[in-house]
Amino acid sequence: MAKLYRLLTEEDTSAFCHKVSDALAKGWELYGDPSYAFDAANNVMRCAQAVTKEVDADYSPDMKLGQQ
C-alpha cells in the first residue's frame, strides 16, 4: 500500500475548484491549506492545493498520479 501526494495548481478561476473537486470525487483527500501566489509573468493569481490518497499498490515514479 502506498500513500500518494499531488499538488494541484491552476489560475484562480472556477477551473481550480473543478480540478480539486474532481480529485476529491476520485478519493483524494485535502492535505493542508490552499496557497495563493501572484504570477507576475502572466499577471494572474495562482492557486495550489495538496492532496493525498492511499492506494493498494507499491509506489513507483512511473505512476500516473492523476489516474489513481
Short mmCIF file of all heavy atoms in Angstrom, two decimals:
data_model
loop_
_atom_site.label_atom_id
_atom_site.label_comp_id
_atom_site.label_asym_id
_atom_site.label_seq_id
_atom_site.Cartn_x
_atom_site.Cartn_y
_atom_site.Cartn_z
N MET A 1 0.86 -1.17 0.00
CA MET A 1 0.00 0.00 0.00
C MET A 1 0.90 1.23 0.00
O MET A 1 1.90 1.29 0.68
CB MET A 1 -0.91 -0.02 1.22
CG MET A 1 -1.88 1.14 1.22
SD MET A 1 -3.22 0.89 2.38
CE MET A 1 -4.46 0.32 1.25
N ALA A 2 0.53 2.22 -0.77
CA ALA A 2 1.32 3.45 -0.87
C ALA A 2 0.43 4.66 -0.63
O ALA A 2 -0.75 4.64 -0.95
CB ALA A 2 1.97 3.55 -2.25
N LYS A 3 1.01 5.69 -0.05
CA LYS A 3 0.31 6.96 0.10
C LYS A 3 0.87 7.90 -0.96
O LYS A 3 2.08 8.17 -0.99
CB LYS A 3 0.49 7.54 1.49
CG LYS A 3 -0.36 8.77 1.72
CD LYS A 3 -0.42 9.11 3.18
CE LYS A 3 -1.51 10.13 3.42
NZ LYS A 3 -1.72 10.34 4.86
N LEU A 4 0.00 8.38 -1.83
CA LEU A 4 0.42 9.25 -2.93
C LEU A 4 0.17 10.71 -2.59
O LEU A 4 -0.72 11.03 -1.81
CB LEU A 4 -0.36 8.88 -4.19
CG LEU A 4 -0.28 7.42 -4.63
CD1 LEU A 4 -1.10 7.20 -5.89
CD2 LEU A 4 1.16 6.99 -4.83
N TYR A 5 0.94 11.59 -3.21
CA TYR A 5 0.85 13.04 -2.99
C TYR A 5 0.81 13.73 -4.33
O TYR A 5 1.55 13.38 -5.24
CB TYR A 5 2.09 13.49 -2.21
CG TYR A 5 2.23 14.99 -2.07
CD1 TYR A 5 1.69 15.65 -0.98
CD2 TYR A 5 2.90 15.74 -3.03
CE1 TYR A 5 1.82 17.02 -0.83
CE2 TYR A 5 3.03 17.12 -2.90
CZ TYR A 5 2.50 17.75 -1.80
OH TYR A 5 2.63 19.10 -1.66
N ARG A 6 -0.09 14.71 -4.44
CA ARG A 6 -0.16 15.55 -5.64
C ARG A 6 -0.31 16.99 -5.20
O ARG A 6 -0.93 17.28 -4.18
CB ARG A 6 -1.39 15.23 -6.50
CG ARG A 6 -1.36 13.90 -7.18
CD ARG A 6 -2.67 13.61 -7.88
NE ARG A 6 -2.94 14.54 -8.97
CZ ARG A 6 -4.13 14.68 -9.55
NH1 ARG A 6 -5.16 13.98 -9.14
NH2 ARG A 6 -4.29 15.54 -10.53
N LEU A 7 0.22 17.90 -5.99
CA LEU A 7 0.00 19.32 -5.77
C LEU A 7 -0.77 19.84 -6.98
O LEU A 7 -0.25 19.88 -8.09
CB LEU A 7 1.31 20.09 -5.60
CG LEU A 7 1.14 21.59 -5.34
CD1 LEU A 7 0.44 21.82 -4.00
CD2 LEU A 7 2.48 22.30 -5.35
N LEU A 8 -2.02 20.19 -6.76
CA LEU A 8 -2.88 20.70 -7.83
C LEU A 8 -2.68 22.21 -7.94
O LEU A 8 -2.71 22.91 -6.92
CB LEU A 8 -4.34 20.38 -7.53
CG LEU A 8 -4.65 18.90 -7.26
CD1 LEU A 8 -6.10 18.74 -6.84
CD2 LEU A 8 -4.33 18.06 -8.46
N THR A 9 -2.48 22.71 -9.14
CA THR A 9 -2.29 24.14 -9.35
C THR A 9 -3.13 24.59 -10.54
O THR A 9 -3.43 23.81 -11.44
CB THR A 9 -0.81 24.49 -9.61
OG1 THR A 9 -0.38 23.84 -10.80
CG2 THR A 9 0.06 24.08 -8.45
N GLU A 10 -3.48 25.86 -10.52
CA GLU A 10 -4.30 26.42 -11.61
C GLU A 10 -4.46 27.91 -11.35
O GLU A 10 -4.24 28.39 -10.23
CB GLU A 10 -5.66 25.74 -11.61
CG GLU A 10 -6.60 26.14 -12.73
CD GLU A 10 -6.11 25.69 -14.09
OE1 GLU A 10 -5.86 24.49 -14.28
OE2 GLU A 10 -5.98 26.57 -14.96
N GLU A 11 -4.83 28.65 -12.38
CA GLU A 11 -5.20 30.05 -12.17
C GLU A 11 -6.39 30.11 -11.23
O GLU A 11 -7.15 29.16 -11.09
CB GLU A 11 -5.58 30.70 -13.50
CG GLU A 11 -4.41 30.98 -14.41
CD GLU A 11 -4.82 31.74 -15.66
OE1 GLU A 11 -5.86 32.42 -15.66
OE2 GLU A 11 -4.09 31.63 -16.65
N ASP A 12 -6.54 31.24 -10.56
CA ASP A 12 -7.63 31.43 -9.58
C ASP A 12 -8.94 31.67 -10.32
O ASP A 12 -9.44 32.79 -10.40
CB ASP A 12 -7.29 32.60 -8.65
CG ASP A 12 -8.29 32.75 -7.52
OD1 ASP A 12 -9.10 31.83 -7.32
OD2 ASP A 12 -8.26 33.79 -6.86
N THR A 13 -9.48 30.59 -10.87
CA THR A 13 -10.77 30.60 -11.56
C THR A 13 -11.55 29.37 -11.11
O THR A 13 -11.05 28.56 -10.33
CB THR A 13 -10.60 30.54 -13.10
OG1 THR A 13 -10.05 29.26 -13.44
CG2 THR A 13 -9.70 31.65 -13.62
N SER A 14 -12.73 29.21 -11.63
CA SER A 14 -13.52 28.02 -11.28
C SER A 14 -12.82 26.74 -11.74
O SER A 14 -13.09 25.67 -11.19
CB SER A 14 -14.92 28.11 -11.88
OG SER A 14 -14.86 28.12 -13.29
N ALA A 15 -11.91 26.83 -12.70
CA ALA A 15 -11.17 25.64 -13.16
C ALA A 15 -10.40 25.01 -12.02
O ALA A 15 -10.30 23.78 -11.92
CB ALA A 15 -10.25 26.01 -14.31
N PHE A 16 -9.85 25.83 -11.13
CA PHE A 16 -9.12 25.30 -9.97
C PHE A 16 -10.08 24.54 -9.07
O PHE A 16 -9.78 23.42 -8.62
CB PHE A 16 -8.43 26.43 -9.20
CG PHE A 16 -7.78 25.95 -7.94
CD1 PHE A 16 -6.63 25.19 -7.98
CD2 PHE A 16 -8.33 26.25 -6.71
CE1 PHE A 16 -6.02 24.74 -6.81
CE2 PHE A 16 -7.73 25.82 -5.53
CZ PHE A 16 -6.57 25.06 -5.59
N CYS A 17 -11.23 25.12 -8.78
CA CYS A 17 -12.22 24.45 -7.92
C CYS A 17 -12.67 23.13 -8.54
O CYS A 17 -12.82 22.12 -7.83
CB CYS A 17 -13.42 25.36 -7.68
SG CYS A 17 -13.00 26.85 -6.77
N HIS A 18 -12.86 23.10 -9.85
CA HIS A 18 -13.26 21.87 -10.52
C HIS A 18 -12.15 20.82 -10.45
O HIS A 18 -12.42 19.63 -10.26
CB HIS A 18 -13.64 22.14 -11.98
CG HIS A 18 -14.95 22.84 -12.12
ND1 HIS A 18 -16.16 22.24 -11.83
CD2 HIS A 18 -15.24 24.11 -12.50
CE1 HIS A 18 -17.15 23.10 -12.04
NE2 HIS A 18 -16.61 24.25 -12.43
N LYS A 19 -10.89 21.24 -10.58
CA LYS A 19 -9.77 20.31 -10.51
C LYS A 19 -9.70 19.67 -9.12
O LYS A 19 -9.53 18.46 -9.00
CB LYS A 19 -8.46 21.05 -10.81
CG LYS A 19 -7.25 20.14 -10.89
CD LYS A 19 -5.98 20.94 -11.15
CE LYS A 19 -5.81 21.23 -12.62
NZ LYS A 19 -4.46 21.75 -12.94
N VAL A 20 -9.86 20.47 -8.08
CA VAL A 20 -9.83 19.94 -6.71
C VAL A 20 -11.06 19.06 -6.47
O VAL A 20 -10.94 17.96 -5.91
CB VAL A 20 -9.75 21.08 -5.67
CG1 VAL A 20 -9.88 20.53 -4.26
CG2 VAL A 20 -8.45 21.86 -5.83
N SER A 21 -12.23 19.49 -6.91
CA SER A 21 -13.46 18.70 -6.74
C SER A 21 -13.34 17.36 -7.44
O SER A 21 -13.78 16.33 -6.90
CB SER A 21 -14.67 19.47 -7.26
OG SER A 21 -14.88 20.62 -6.49
N ASP A 22 -12.75 17.33 -8.62
CA ASP A 22 -12.56 16.09 -9.35
C ASP A 22 -11.64 15.14 -8.57
O ASP A 22 -11.94 13.94 -8.45
CB ASP A 22 -11.98 16.37 -10.74
CG ASP A 22 -11.81 15.11 -11.56
OD1 ASP A 22 -12.81 14.38 -11.76
OD2 ASP A 22 -10.66 14.84 -12.01
N ALA A 23 -10.58 15.67 -8.01
CA ALA A 23 -9.67 14.83 -7.22
C ALA A 23 -10.39 14.27 -5.99
O ALA A 23 -10.24 13.09 -5.67
CB ALA A 23 -8.44 15.65 -6.81
N LEU A 24 -11.18 15.10 -5.31
CA LEU A 24 -11.93 14.64 -4.14
C LEU A 24 -12.91 13.54 -4.52
O LEU A 24 -13.07 12.55 -3.80
CB LEU A 24 -12.65 15.80 -3.47
CG LEU A 24 -11.76 16.87 -2.84
CD1 LEU A 24 -12.62 18.04 -2.35
CD2 LEU A 24 -10.92 16.31 -1.72
N ALA A 25 -13.57 13.69 -5.67
CA ALA A 25 -14.52 12.68 -6.14
C ALA A 25 -13.83 11.36 -6.45
O ALA A 25 -14.46 10.30 -6.41
CB ALA A 25 -15.26 13.20 -7.37
N LYS A 26 -12.53 11.41 -6.75
CA LYS A 26 -11.76 10.20 -7.06
C LYS A 26 -11.06 9.63 -5.83
O LYS A 26 -10.22 8.74 -5.95
CB LYS A 26 -10.73 10.51 -8.15
CG LYS A 26 -11.38 10.79 -9.49
CD LYS A 26 -10.36 11.14 -10.54
CE LYS A 26 -11.05 11.39 -11.88
NZ LYS A 26 -10.12 11.87 -12.89
N GLY A 27 -11.41 10.15 -4.64
CA GLY A 27 -10.89 9.57 -3.42
C GLY A 27 -9.67 10.25 -2.82
O GLY A 27 -9.15 9.81 -1.80
N TRP A 28 -9.18 11.31 -3.45
CA TRP A 28 -8.07 12.06 -2.89
C TRP A 28 -8.59 12.87 -1.70
O TRP A 28 -9.76 13.24 -1.65
CB TRP A 28 -7.46 12.99 -3.94
CG TRP A 28 -6.75 12.26 -5.03
CD1 TRP A 28 -7.33 11.70 -6.14
CD2 TRP A 28 -5.36 11.97 -5.12
NE1 TRP A 28 -6.38 11.09 -6.92
CE2 TRP A 28 -5.15 11.24 -6.31
CE3 TRP A 28 -4.26 12.26 -4.32
CZ2 TRP A 28 -3.89 10.81 -6.72
CZ3 TRP A 28 -3.01 11.83 -4.72
CH2 TRP A 28 -2.83 11.11 -5.91
N GLU A 29 -7.70 13.16 -0.73
CA GLU A 29 -8.07 13.94 0.44
C GLU A 29 -7.22 15.19 0.51
O GLU A 29 -6.03 15.16 0.17
CB GLU A 29 -7.86 13.11 1.71
CG GLU A 29 -8.77 11.90 1.77
CD GLU A 29 -8.59 11.09 3.05
OE1 GLU A 29 -7.90 11.57 3.97
OE2 GLU A 29 -9.14 9.99 3.11
N LEU A 30 -7.83 16.29 0.97
CA LEU A 30 -7.09 17.54 1.11
C LEU A 30 -5.95 17.35 2.11
O LEU A 30 -6.10 16.65 3.12
CB LEU A 30 -8.01 18.65 1.61
CG LEU A 30 -9.18 19.02 0.70
CD1 LEU A 30 -10.03 20.08 1.38
CD2 LEU A 30 -8.69 19.49 -0.66
N TYR A 31 -4.82 17.97 1.82
CA TYR A 31 -3.66 17.92 2.71
C TYR A 31 -3.19 19.35 2.93
O TYR A 31 -2.65 19.98 2.03
CB TYR A 31 -2.56 17.07 2.08
CG TYR A 31 -1.35 16.93 2.96
CD1 TYR A 31 -1.31 15.98 3.97
CD2 TYR A 31 -0.24 17.73 2.77
CE1 TYR A 31 -0.21 15.84 4.78
CE2 TYR A 31 0.87 17.61 3.59
CZ TYR A 31 0.88 16.66 4.58
OH TYR A 31 1.98 16.53 5.38
N GLY A 32 -3.45 19.88 4.08
CA GLY A 32 -3.05 21.25 4.39
C GLY A 32 -4.00 22.27 3.78
O GLY A 32 -5.05 21.94 3.23
N ASP A 33 -3.60 23.53 3.91
CA ASP A 33 -4.41 24.64 3.42
C ASP A 33 -4.03 24.99 1.98
O ASP A 33 -2.90 24.75 1.55
CB ASP A 33 -4.18 25.88 4.29
CG ASP A 33 -4.69 25.67 5.71
OD1 ASP A 33 -5.69 24.96 5.88
OD2 ASP A 33 -4.07 26.23 6.64
N PRO A 34 -4.95 25.59 1.23
CA PRO A 34 -4.60 26.05 -0.12
C PRO A 34 -3.64 27.22 -0.03
O PRO A 34 -3.55 27.91 0.99
CB PRO A 34 -5.95 26.47 -0.72
CG PRO A 34 -6.81 26.76 0.47
CD PRO A 34 -6.34 25.88 1.57
N SER A 35 -2.92 27.44 -1.10
CA SER A 35 -1.98 28.57 -1.20
C SER A 35 -2.33 29.40 -2.42
O SER A 35 -2.87 28.89 -3.41
CB SER A 35 -0.55 28.07 -1.36
OG SER A 35 -0.16 27.34 -0.23
N TYR A 36 -2.01 30.68 -2.33
CA TYR A 36 -2.24 31.61 -3.43
C TYR A 36 -0.97 32.41 -3.66
O TYR A 36 -0.27 32.77 -2.71
CB TYR A 36 -3.38 32.59 -3.10
CG TYR A 36 -4.70 31.90 -2.88
CD1 TYR A 36 -5.10 31.51 -1.61
CD2 TYR A 36 -5.55 31.63 -3.95
CE1 TYR A 36 -6.29 30.86 -1.41
CE2 TYR A 36 -6.75 30.98 -3.74
CZ TYR A 36 -7.12 30.60 -2.47
OH TYR A 36 -8.31 29.95 -2.29
N ALA A 37 -0.68 32.69 -4.91
CA ALA A 37 0.50 33.49 -5.24
C ALA A 37 0.24 34.24 -6.54
O ALA A 37 -0.50 33.76 -7.41
CB ALA A 37 1.73 32.61 -5.39
N PHE A 38 0.86 35.40 -6.66
CA PHE A 38 0.72 36.20 -7.88
C PHE A 38 1.75 35.73 -8.90
O PHE A 38 2.94 35.65 -8.61
CB PHE A 38 0.90 37.68 -7.58
CG PHE A 38 0.70 38.55 -8.78
CD1 PHE A 38 -0.54 38.67 -9.37
CD2 PHE A 38 1.77 39.23 -9.33
CE1 PHE A 38 -0.74 39.46 -10.49
CE2 PHE A 38 1.59 40.03 -10.45
CZ PHE A 38 0.33 40.15 -11.02
N ASP A 39 1.29 35.41 -10.09
CA ASP A 39 2.15 35.02 -11.22
C ASP A 39 2.39 36.28 -12.04
O ASP A 39 1.57 36.65 -12.88
CB ASP A 39 1.44 33.94 -12.03
CG ASP A 39 2.21 33.49 -13.26
OD1 ASP A 39 3.24 34.10 -13.60
OD2 ASP A 39 1.76 32.51 -13.89
N ALA A 40 3.51 36.95 -11.80
CA ALA A 40 3.80 38.22 -12.47
C ALA A 40 4.00 38.06 -13.97
O ALA A 40 3.66 38.95 -14.74
CB ALA A 40 5.03 38.86 -11.83
N ALA A 41 4.52 36.92 -14.38
CA ALA A 41 4.76 36.70 -15.81
C ALA A 41 3.46 36.69 -16.60
O ALA A 41 3.42 37.13 -17.75
CB ALA A 41 5.52 35.40 -16.03
N ASN A 42 2.39 36.19 -15.99
CA ASN A 42 1.10 36.09 -16.67
C ASN A 42 0.05 37.03 -16.09
O ASN A 42 -1.09 37.02 -16.53
CB ASN A 42 0.60 34.64 -16.61
CG ASN A 42 1.48 33.72 -17.41
OD1 ASN A 42 1.62 33.87 -18.61
ND2 ASN A 42 2.11 32.77 -16.74
N ASN A 43 0.44 37.80 -15.06
CA ASN A 43 -0.43 38.79 -14.44
C ASN A 43 -1.73 38.19 -13.91
O ASN A 43 -2.82 38.74 -14.11
CB ASN A 43 -0.71 39.94 -15.41
CG ASN A 43 -1.19 41.18 -14.68
OD1 ASN A 43 -0.75 41.46 -13.58
ND2 ASN A 43 -2.10 41.91 -15.29
N VAL A 44 -1.62 37.00 -13.25
CA VAL A 44 -2.79 36.33 -12.68
C VAL A 44 -2.44 35.78 -11.30
O VAL A 44 -1.27 35.58 -10.98
CB VAL A 44 -3.29 35.16 -13.57
CG1 VAL A 44 -3.76 35.65 -14.92
CG2 VAL A 44 -2.22 34.09 -13.73
N MET A 45 -3.46 35.53 -10.51
CA MET A 45 -3.28 34.81 -9.26
C MET A 45 -3.33 33.32 -9.55
O MET A 45 -4.09 32.87 -10.40
CB MET A 45 -4.38 35.17 -8.26
CG MET A 45 -4.30 36.57 -7.71
SD MET A 45 -2.79 36.92 -6.78
CE MET A 45 -3.02 35.90 -5.33
N ARG A 46 -2.52 32.56 -8.86
CA ARG A 46 -2.49 31.10 -9.00
C ARG A 46 -2.83 30.47 -7.65
O ARG A 46 -2.46 30.99 -6.61
CB ARG A 46 -1.13 30.61 -9.46
CG ARG A 46 -0.80 31.08 -10.85
CD ARG A 46 -0.02 30.02 -11.59
NE ARG A 46 0.15 30.42 -12.97
CZ ARG A 46 -0.57 30.00 -13.97
NH1 ARG A 46 -1.54 29.14 -13.77
NH2 ARG A 46 -0.35 30.42 -15.20
N CYS A 47 -3.50 29.34 -7.70
CA CYS A 47 -3.88 28.60 -6.51
C CYS A 47 -3.15 27.26 -6.51
O CYS A 47 -2.84 26.71 -7.56
CB CYS A 47 -5.38 28.29 -6.51
SG CYS A 47 -6.43 29.72 -6.65
N ALA A 48 -2.95 26.74 -5.30
CA ALA A 48 -2.35 25.41 -5.14
C ALA A 48 -3.01 24.72 -3.97
O ALA A 48 -3.34 25.35 -2.97
CB ALA A 48 -0.85 25.52 -4.90
N GLN A 49 -3.24 23.42 -4.12
CA GLN A 49 -3.80 22.61 -3.04
C GLN A 49 -3.16 21.24 -3.10
O GLN A 49 -3.19 20.57 -4.14
CB GLN A 49 -5.31 22.47 -3.17
CG GLN A 49 -5.95 21.52 -2.16
CD GLN A 49 -5.81 22.00 -0.73
OE1 GLN A 49 -6.28 23.08 -0.39
NE2 GLN A 49 -5.17 21.22 0.12
N ALA A 50 -2.58 20.81 -1.99
CA ALA A 50 -2.02 19.47 -1.90
C ALA A 50 -3.12 18.49 -1.57
O ALA A 50 -4.05 18.80 -0.83
CB ALA A 50 -0.93 19.43 -0.84
N VAL A 51 -3.01 17.29 -2.14
CA VAL A 51 -3.94 16.20 -1.87
C VAL A 51 -3.15 14.91 -1.71
O VAL A 51 -2.06 14.76 -2.28
CB VAL A 51 -5.02 16.05 -2.98
CG1 VAL A 51 -5.97 17.23 -3.01
CG2 VAL A 51 -4.39 15.85 -4.35
N THR A 52 -3.69 13.98 -0.93
CA THR A 52 -3.07 12.67 -0.75
C THR A 52 -4.11 11.58 -0.94
O THR A 52 -5.30 11.82 -0.84
CB THR A 52 -2.43 12.53 0.65
OG1 THR A 52 -3.44 12.66 1.63
CG2 THR A 52 -1.32 13.55 0.87
N LYS A 53 -3.60 10.38 -1.23
CA LYS A 53 -4.51 9.24 -1.41
C LYS A 53 -3.74 7.95 -1.12
O LYS A 53 -2.60 7.79 -1.56
CB LYS A 53 -5.03 9.21 -2.84
CG LYS A 53 -6.01 8.09 -3.14
CD LYS A 53 -6.49 8.17 -4.57
CE LYS A 53 -7.54 7.15 -4.88
NZ LYS A 53 -7.98 7.24 -6.28
N GLU A 54 -4.37 7.05 -0.38
CA GLU A 54 -3.79 5.73 -0.16
C GLU A 54 -4.29 4.79 -1.26
O GLU A 54 -5.49 4.76 -1.54
CB GLU A 54 -4.17 5.20 1.22
CG GLU A 54 -3.61 6.06 2.31
CD GLU A 54 -3.02 5.27 3.47
OE1 GLU A 54 -2.87 4.05 3.36
OE2 GLU A 54 -2.71 5.93 4.46
N VAL A 55 -3.36 4.07 -1.88
CA VAL A 55 -3.72 3.13 -2.94
C VAL A 55 -3.16 1.76 -2.61
O VAL A 55 -2.16 1.63 -1.90
CB VAL A 55 -3.20 3.60 -4.33
CG1 VAL A 55 -3.88 4.89 -4.75
CG2 VAL A 55 -1.70 3.74 -4.34
N ASP A 56 -3.81 0.75 -3.12
CA ASP A 56 -3.40 -0.63 -2.89
C ASP A 56 -2.40 -1.03 -3.98
O ASP A 56 -2.70 -1.85 -4.84
CB ASP A 56 -4.62 -1.56 -2.88
CG ASP A 56 -4.27 -2.95 -2.40
OD1 ASP A 56 -3.26 -3.10 -1.69
OD2 ASP A 56 -5.01 -3.89 -2.74
N ALA A 57 -1.23 -0.42 -3.93
CA ALA A 57 -0.17 -0.69 -4.91
C ALA A 57 1.14 -0.19 -4.33
O ALA A 57 1.14 0.67 -3.45
CB ALA A 57 -0.47 0.00 -6.23
N ASP A 58 2.23 -0.70 -4.82
CA ASP A 58 3.53 -0.19 -4.43
C ASP A 58 3.80 1.08 -5.21
O ASP A 58 3.45 1.18 -6.38
CB ASP A 58 4.63 -1.22 -4.72
CG ASP A 58 4.53 -2.43 -3.82
OD1 ASP A 58 4.06 -2.29 -2.67
OD2 ASP A 58 4.93 -3.53 -4.27
N TYR A 59 4.44 2.04 -4.55
CA TYR A 59 4.75 3.29 -5.23
C TYR A 59 5.80 3.06 -6.31
O TYR A 59 6.75 2.31 -6.14
CB TYR A 59 5.27 4.35 -4.25
CG TYR A 59 5.78 5.56 -4.97
CD1 TYR A 59 4.89 6.44 -5.56
CD2 TYR A 59 7.14 5.77 -5.15
CE1 TYR A 59 5.35 7.53 -6.27
CE2 TYR A 59 7.60 6.86 -5.86
CZ TYR A 59 6.71 7.73 -6.42
OH TYR A 59 7.16 8.80 -7.14
N SER A 60 5.63 3.74 -7.41
CA SER A 60 6.60 3.76 -8.50
C SER A 60 6.61 5.16 -9.10
O SER A 60 5.55 5.76 -9.29
CB SER A 60 6.21 2.76 -9.58
OG SER A 60 6.97 2.99 -10.75
N PRO A 61 7.79 5.70 -9.41
CA PRO A 61 7.84 7.03 -10.01
C PRO A 61 7.17 7.08 -11.39
O PRO A 61 6.90 8.15 -11.91
CB PRO A 61 9.34 7.33 -10.14
CG PRO A 61 10.06 6.27 -9.41
CD PRO A 61 9.10 5.16 -9.12
N ASP A 62 6.88 5.92 -11.96
CA ASP A 62 6.21 5.86 -13.26
C ASP A 62 4.69 5.96 -13.16
O ASP A 62 4.00 6.01 -14.17
CB ASP A 62 6.57 4.55 -13.98
CG ASP A 62 8.06 4.45 -14.26
OD1 ASP A 62 8.69 5.50 -14.52
OD2 ASP A 62 8.59 3.32 -14.19
N MET A 63 4.15 5.97 -11.93
CA MET A 63 2.70 6.05 -11.75
C MET A 63 2.15 7.34 -12.35
O MET A 63 2.76 8.39 -12.23
CB MET A 63 2.34 6.04 -10.27
CG MET A 63 2.48 4.76 -9.58
SD MET A 63 2.02 4.97 -7.84
CE MET A 63 1.39 3.35 -7.51
N LYS A 64 1.00 7.24 -12.96
CA LYS A 64 0.26 8.42 -13.43
C LYS A 64 -0.66 8.82 -12.30
O LYS A 64 -1.74 8.25 -12.14
CB LYS A 64 -0.53 8.07 -14.69
CG LYS A 64 0.31 7.52 -15.82
CD LYS A 64 0.86 8.65 -16.63
CE LYS A 64 1.50 8.07 -17.89
NZ LYS A 64 2.79 8.64 -18.15
N LEU A 65 -0.24 9.80 -11.48
CA LEU A 65 -0.97 10.13 -10.27
C LEU A 65 -2.39 10.59 -10.56
O LEU A 65 -3.30 10.31 -9.78
CB LEU A 65 -0.22 11.19 -9.47
CG LEU A 65 1.17 10.75 -8.97
CD1 LEU A 65 1.83 11.91 -8.23
CD2 LEU A 65 1.07 9.53 -8.09
N GLY A 66 -2.62 11.30 -11.64
CA GLY A 66 -3.95 11.77 -11.98
C GLY A 66 -4.90 10.65 -12.35
O GLY A 66 -6.11 10.85 -12.37
N GLN A 67 -4.37 9.47 -12.63
CA GLN A 67 -5.23 8.34 -12.99
C GLN A 67 -5.46 7.40 -11.83
O GLN A 67 -6.11 6.37 -11.97
CB GLN A 67 -4.59 7.58 -14.16
CG GLN A 67 -4.50 8.42 -15.42
CD GLN A 67 -3.76 7.71 -16.54
OE1 GLN A 67 -3.25 6.61 -16.38
NE2 GLN A 67 -3.70 8.35 -17.68
N GLN A 68 -4.91 7.71 -10.67
CA GLN A 68 -5.05 6.84 -9.50
C GLN A 68 -6.35 7.11 -8.80
O GLN A 68 -6.88 8.14 -8.77
CB GLN A 68 -3.89 7.05 -8.54
CG GLN A 68 -2.58 6.60 -9.09
CD GLN A 68 -2.51 5.10 -9.39
OE1 GLN A 68 -2.96 4.28 -8.62
NE2 GLN A 68 -1.97 4.76 -10.52
#
